[in-house]
């Protein structure tokens, strides 16, 4: 019997083999066009306020980070961490200045 870690290593990340751009498009389909509404509810549920710092672990393409950034505003900070370098590059390229 394999441990959970061995199984996770064998499978790899769910977005493995798909470009970040394709992942973004697929996510829109997966959420039946409700992606922004669902994630915005998570932003509200987080209780984030202007000036706060947000750390997103496993940020992928940075979608949640982009949704929460306007809430913390220019006095706040949003940082995303992900093991996928292509996803991080996509997130950085599409993040607000």
């Amino acid at each position: 019997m394999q441990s959970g870690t061995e199984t996770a290593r064998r499978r790899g990340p769910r977005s493995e083999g798909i470009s970040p751009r394709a992942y973004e498009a697929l996510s829109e389909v997966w959420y039946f066009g409700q992606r922004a509404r669902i994630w915005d509810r998570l932003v509200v549920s987080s209780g984030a306020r202007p000036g706060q710092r947000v750390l997103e672990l496993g940020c992928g393409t940075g979608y949640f980070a982009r949704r929460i950034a306007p809430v913390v505003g220019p006095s706040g900070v949003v940082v995303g961490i992900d093991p996928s370098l292509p996803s991080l590059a996509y997130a950085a390229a599409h993040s607000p200045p």
Side-chain angles (χ1 to χ4, degrees):
M1 179 179 225
Q2 292 183 329
S3 73
T5 303
E6 290 169 342
T7 302
R9 258 190 246 137
R10 190 179 78 242
R11 287 186 198 156
R14 291 188 331 193
S15 61
E16 184 178 319
I18 184 170
S19 75
R21 182 174 176 214
Y23 177 81
E24 286 284 308
L26 182 61
S27 292
E28 289 298 327
V29 173
W30 181 260
Y31 284 100
F32 299 104
Q34 300 296 310
R35 186 179 186 201
R37 186 182 65 78
I38 291 167
W39 287 96
D40 287 346
R41 286 177 58 193
L42 288 172
V43 168
V44 170
S45 296
S46 76
R49 296 184 310 275
Q52 289 188 320
R53 296 180 208 159
V54 176
L55 173 62
E56 183 183 4
L57 302 175
C59 68
T61 58
Y63 188 78
F64 182 72
R66 290 192 304 274
R67 302 306 294 184
I68 204 166
V71 174
V72 300
S75 61
V77 177
V78 178
V79 175
I81 298 173
D82 198 273
S84 169
L85 294 180
S87 291
L88 282 176
Y90 183 94
H94 291 86
S95 67

